Amino acid sequence: MKSELAGFLRSRRARITPDRAGLPEDGRARRVPGLRRDEVARLAGMSTEYYTRLEQGRAGTPSPEVVEALARSLQLDPAEREHLIDLLARPKPARSAPTAPQRVRPGLHLMLQTLEHVPAFIVGRRTDILAANRLAREVLTDFDALPVPQRNLARYYLLDPEARHRVVDWEQIAAETVAMLRFEAGRHPNDRRLADLVGEFTLRCPEFSTWWNDHRVMRRTHGTKRYHHPEVGELHFSYESLQPPGDPDQTLAVYNVEPGSPTADALRLLSSLTADHYH
């Protein structure tokens, strides 16, 4: 975790110029982009020595006030603040890593079937797909047909060659998915399956290492996505990510469409074309 913390803090200060931070130029040559350690320390109201030890993971667990000052100085967004808190937390014993299989409540399974007119699915730890309705399996890929260990959203985006053609903004979506994995890694540093997944992506996805080493983090929230389906053409969605009560590591993703839109018409056609596959 020390190297993760160091890499995250270095990447966050590297993106902020003195001008953006409200600091005057001091005429010193800059060997690296962004803020120096002493400048971050000055902005956060701490000594350079303390900040250096903090960045190197040698300062113990700082107070909430120090964390807040650091987050403000580095202009962190809410997801980055949460990630910083995770990285600064005292290491947990390896046996506390989440290993038990996640289960989806029957009521959530029923909800997915009720949402029959739009794609919807439930994402668990490390972007595992825990359940998906029929349209989600048609628009993305048939997760139910895959072995359980391979039912994973990041694996689909990064390793399935079909995804590069089906996801219109593939590079953006894939990079954001890697940022979500980074966030997961901060929350569950002892998750062996997540570590194995990162190792596999490093070997098999040419772009992965660049995105991973950016130390960008994201939470699943809302936004837009576009897919190109081979049978019904381009589909435009406004997605919402909702956290069902009972398991903070599960997210319900719903791909909404505008009523009467071309995408709504295309989904009705897709549903009728594929109905026989599920009967």
Side-chain angles (χ1 to χ4, degrees):
M1 289 293 285
K2 289 183 179 179
S3 62
E4 294 293 321
L5 175 62
F8 178 68
L9 289 176
R10 283 197 300 264
S11 69
R12 297 309 88 180
R13 63 183 172 89
R15 69 180 180 175
I16 303 176
T17 63
D19 182 65
R20 178 178 164 187
L23 294 174
E25 281 288 355
D26 56 14
R28 290 185 292 167
R30 292 184 180 272
R31 293 178 295 176
V32 293
L35 298 178
R36 301 185 186 91
R37 285 174 174 170
D38 64 294
E39 291 170 328
V40 175
R42 191 191 326 162
L43 288 168
M46 62 183 70
S47 71
T48 303
E49 179 187 2
Y50 180 76
Y51 174 77
T52 300
R53 287 191 287 114
L54 193 64
E55 188 174 285
Q56 294 173 346
R58 298 187 293 110
T61 303
S63 68
E65 292 77 15
V66 169
V67 174
E68 176 59 29
L70 189 56
R72 186 173 58 252
S73 302
L74 293 172
Q75 302 180 18
L76 303 185
D77 65 26
E80 291 170 333
R81 285 170 184 249
E82 190 170 345
H83 187 61
L84 176 63
I85 293 170
D86 289 335
L87 294 180
L88 288 169
R90 292 188 181 277
K92 299 177 183 178
R95 63 179 177 272
S96 69
T99 56
Q102 289 181 282
R103 305 295 184 192
V104 177
R105 296 195 307 274
L108 289 177
H109 274 290
L110 183 60
M111 180 184 294
L112 288 181
Q113 304 315 313
T114 303
L115 295 166
E116 61 179 6
H117 300 301
V118 294
F121 50 93
I122 295 175
V123 187
R125 291 190 294 263
R126 70 192 74 87
T127 74
D128 286 345
I129 298 296
L130 305 179
N133 70 1
R134 179 160 66 96
L135 278 177
R137 300 196 300 273
E138 288 294 338
V139 170
L140 281 79
T141 192
D142 190 353
F143 292 105
D144 287 7
L146 298 172
V148 172
Q150 296 182 22
R151 297 175 187 175
N152 180 277
L153 191 62
R155 179 183 291 276
Y156 166 66
Y157 285 140
L158 299 176
L159 299 185
D160 190 333
E162 176 66 22
R164 293 178 181 251
H165 303 290
R166 186 165 292 202
V167 182
V168 175
D169 304 301
W170 178 83
E171 187 168 338
Q172 173 191 334
I173 300 304
E176 289 177 352
T177 304
V178 172
M180 293 173 190
L181 285 179
R182 261 287 181 199
F183 187 80
E184 288 271 318
R187 297 185 66 191
H188 302 297
N190 298 314
D191 189 334
R192 174 48 55 189
R193 285 184 55 198
L194 176 55
D196 290 344
L197 201 60
V198 169
E200 183 178 5
F201 292 154
T202 300
L203 293 174
R204 298 183 56 194
C205 177
E207 300 89 349
F208 178 79
S209 292
T210 297
W211 294 331
W212 185 255
N213 292 331
D214 282 345
H215 289 270
R216 181 185 178 195
V217 293
M218 284 184 63
R219 290 191 66 111
R220 303 181 194 96
T221 52
H222 56 85
T224 60
K225 287 188 178 178
R226 297 185 297 161
Y227 293 85
H228 183 85
H229 194 278
E231 294 186 73
V232 297
E234 193 159 310
L235 303 169
H236 293 239
F237 300 106
S238 296
Y239 71 88
E240 296 287 339
S241 298
L242 311 170
Q243 190 176 95
D247 189 337
D249 290 327
Q250 291 189 18
T251 302
L252 170 65
V254 181
Y255 282 16
N256 295 307
V257 299
E258 288 287 339
S261 66
T263 295
D265 294 339
L267 286 182
R268 279 194 295 271
L269 175 59
L270 181 61
S271 184
S272 65
L273 290 174
T274 59
D276 291 343
H277 298 175
Y278 300 90
H279 295 289

